[in-house]
Amino acid sequence: MRSMSQLPLYTRKLTFVGAIVMSVCCAAAAKNTAPVHVPLPRNNPLKSTEQEKQQNSKPAADLFSEKKLPSLGRAMAIGYYPRGCLQGGVELPTTGPTWQVMRLSRNRNWGHPELVKFLERFAPLAAEATGWKGILIGDMAQPRGGPLPFGHKSHQVGLDVDIWFMPMPDRVLSKEERETIVASHVVAADGKHVNDKIWSPADVAFIRTAAEQPEVERVLVNAAIKKSSAVSRARMINRGCQRCVPGMAIPATCTYA
């Protein structure tokens, strides 16, 4: 058996406290008087100050969303789409010749420079293919990437973008309109088919144009959209549309790589 001096420091402290409590209780019993109140230790006396700081710190999503400007340094996508951050991100202008950014209050029109260049090049291609005036762009990434407080698990490294299935109006939308306009529901209420009242050949052309771009790794669309006959025919005709994979979001999410 080890002596008291050989026990670890924290064990000795606990043993010492236990001995004091026992001696006080025994003394009280011997005198046949009311027991002496012994203050209890805090919930976890072994918890370090550093652990307490970590528990009291803000979630990573809140910390990243508070940053209004990008970090300095060479542009770099760090980590992977659903778990990472962005260094040296750049801002996509909120209004361009063939695009407008929606939900400006979120401050999510940031990305890797290559993604921004891609969108500036893709927007006029999509407008020409669909006959639209331009495209409406949703979430990209926060200035420094990282987890978002709501909306996505991905979009963390500056290589994702949401593009709405909705043509850009022939005028510049106000800030209020960009916050309140709702994207078209191209999927039917049953979630199994496209909404025939809204779905059009322009939507198919939009998906095909995105999938044809060599920089695009995948195009995430609702499963109902992927299995629609029009998209299926486009996939058979154009191998680029093999990059279309089912996703939960209604907007098309282009993942750039």
Side-chain angles (χ1 to χ4, degrees), residues 185-195 221-227 247-248 250:
H185 293 285
V186 296
V187 176
D190 63 3
K192 299 178 181 180
H193 308 88
V194 294
N195 186 345
V221 295
N222 189 287
I225 294 174
K226 184 178 180 181
K227 75 175 187 178
M248 294 303 294
I250 290 178

Side-chain angles (χ1 to χ4, degrees), residues 232-248:
S232 297
R233 286 195 300 270
R235 291 176 62 227
M236 289 187 290
I237 296 171
N238 192 313
R239 293 182 61 188
C241 280
Q242 299 295 335
R243 297 173 184 168
C244 298
V245 295
M248 294 303 294

Side-chain angles (χ1 to χ4, degrees), residues 97-116:
T98 51
W99 77 83
Q100 293 186 47
V101 177
M102 307 299 284
R103 306 296 189 259
L104 299 179
S105 62
R106 298 181 182 182
N107 195 27
R108 296 180 183 176
N109 56 311
W110 298 80
H112 191 283
E114 293 300 324
L115 173 63
V116 173

Side-chain angles (χ1 to χ4, degrees), residues 89-100:
V90 296
E91 184 178 18
L92 176 71
T94 58
T95 302
T98 51
W99 77 83
Q100 293 186 47

